Amino acid sequence: MGKDVEVGGGFSAKDYQDPPPAPLIDAEELTQWSLYRAVIAEFIATLLFLYITVLTVIGYKSQTDVSKNGDGCGGVGILGIAWAFGGMIFVLVYCTAGISGGHINPAVTFGLFLARKVSLVRAIFYIVAQCLGAICGCGLVKAFQKSYYTNYGGGANELADGFSKGTGLGAEIIGTFVLVYTVFSATDPKRNARDSHVPVLAPLPIGFAVFMVHLATIPITGTGINPARSFGAAVMYNKEKAWDDHWIFWVGPFIGAAIAALYHQYVLRAAAVKALGSFRSSSNI
């Protein structure tokens, strides 16, 4: 299942259906409630994502603060923080996938835009909603636990001591590539048709991708791979250290997302070859 089947006349019949490419600019979308409902879903999902995950990070740092009688080996540890991020992505993508697609990340939105899965209008609305949601999520944490928030870094991403900017940028590029590549693979209509007998939820591998990337890159950058997550924490914490290398947490994820989109669409799905074949077929008519 899921394979292209050659039939008479040189045409190819498929047992799956690729959705049509999204228009670059769809003015009609602005008149549809479905767009605004999806934007609200992205805002709330990103708010909840930052609220839970930043609380987890701050809680871990407070529990292991030996200067405040904390246990240096206590708390949830890096493993627990990674589970918090990956688990929340699994939950929130599952909840919002049918409404907005469950992006919760400007890098994911950017990658899907490059692949013509969403229009420019929807992409801009989503990214703005995600950034605002991240700010509000961190704002809630700061409002409820201001002293802890200020004392323990506010969950802001920072390049760790001993690592160069190039290393941090590379970590963000590769980490985001893993995430966005997983998003494309888990939502590929060809894969869904071929593996329809396998009951695998798309949010599950996406959540695991976030979990694994956090395990690898928390010691380097604190793991961004989500510009909204990094931006919201930096805005609310608003200390110089949080802004010093902030560009890494935008440039890295956007480059990683672009590479993943190009790799999946033009290498794995051979979109360039298919487009060339269609052009040759039409020129021979």
Side-chain angles (χ1 to χ4, degrees), residues 42 46 103-106 109 125-134 228:
E42 287 292 311
T46 314
H103 297 192
I104 322 172
N105 185 336
T109 300
F125 271 69
Y126 275 20
I127 291 173
V128 171
Q130 290 156 0
C131 289
L132 291 176

Side-chain angles (χ1 to χ4, degrees), residues 217-243:
T217 59
I218 282 177
I220 303 173
T221 61
T223 309
I225 68 170
N226 183 334
R229 173 259 185 275
S230 302
F231 181 69
V235 167
M236 295 310 302
Y237 185 55
N238 201 28
K239 302 289 185 181
E240 185 176 345
K241 178 68 173 172
W243 293 110

Side-chain angles (χ1 to χ4, degrees), residues 116-152:
R116 301 288 303 277
K117 304 293 186 183
V118 295
S119 69
L120 178 61
V121 171
R122 185 173 289 263
I124 292 173
F125 271 69
Y126 275 20
I127 291 173
V128 171
Q130 290 156 0
C131 289
L132 291 176
I135 292 171
C136 292
C138 291
L140 286 177
V141 178
K142 187 173 184 179
F144 294 152
Q145 298 190 16
K146 187 171 183 178
S147 61
Y148 283 103
Y149 188 89
T150 304
N151 293 337
Y152 297 112

Side-chain angles (χ1 to χ4, degrees), residues 103-115 120 123-128 130-131 168-181 184 224-231 246-263:
H103 297 192
I104 322 172
N105 185 336
V108 171
T109 300
F110 180 65
L112 293 173
F113 165 71
L114 292 180
L120 178 61
I124 292 173
F125 271 69
Y126 275 20
I127 291 173
V128 171
Q130 290 156 0
C131 289
L169 181 63
E172 289 297 307
I173 291 173
I174 296 172
T176 310
F177 174 86
V178 171
L179 169 60
V180 178
Y181 174 40
F184 275 106
I225 68 170
N226 183 334
R229 173 259 185 275
S230 302
F231 181 69
H246 186 69
W247 63 271
I248 289 174
F249 302 103
W250 283 89
V251 175
F254 273 58
I255 292 176
I259 296 172
L262 293 173
Y263 174 63

Side-chain angles (χ1 to χ4, degrees), residues 1 11-12 17-18 22 33 36 97 111 126 168-169 179 195 202 211-212 214 243 254 260 273:
M1 293 182 66
F11 295 98
S12 177
Q17 184 64 45
D18 281 315
W33 165 242
Y36 301 102
Y126 275 20
L169 181 63
L179 169 60
D195 300 335
F211 167 68
M212 296 303 296
H214 273 76
W243 293 110
F254 273 58
V273 175

Side-chain angles (χ1 to χ4, degrees), residues 14 16-22 115-117 187-190 265 269:
K14 299 185 293 187
Y16 67 95
Q17 184 64 45
D18 281 315
R116 301 288 303 277
K117 304 293 186 183
T187 58
D188 190 333
K190 184 173 183 177
Q265 292 297 104
R269 293 300 304 273

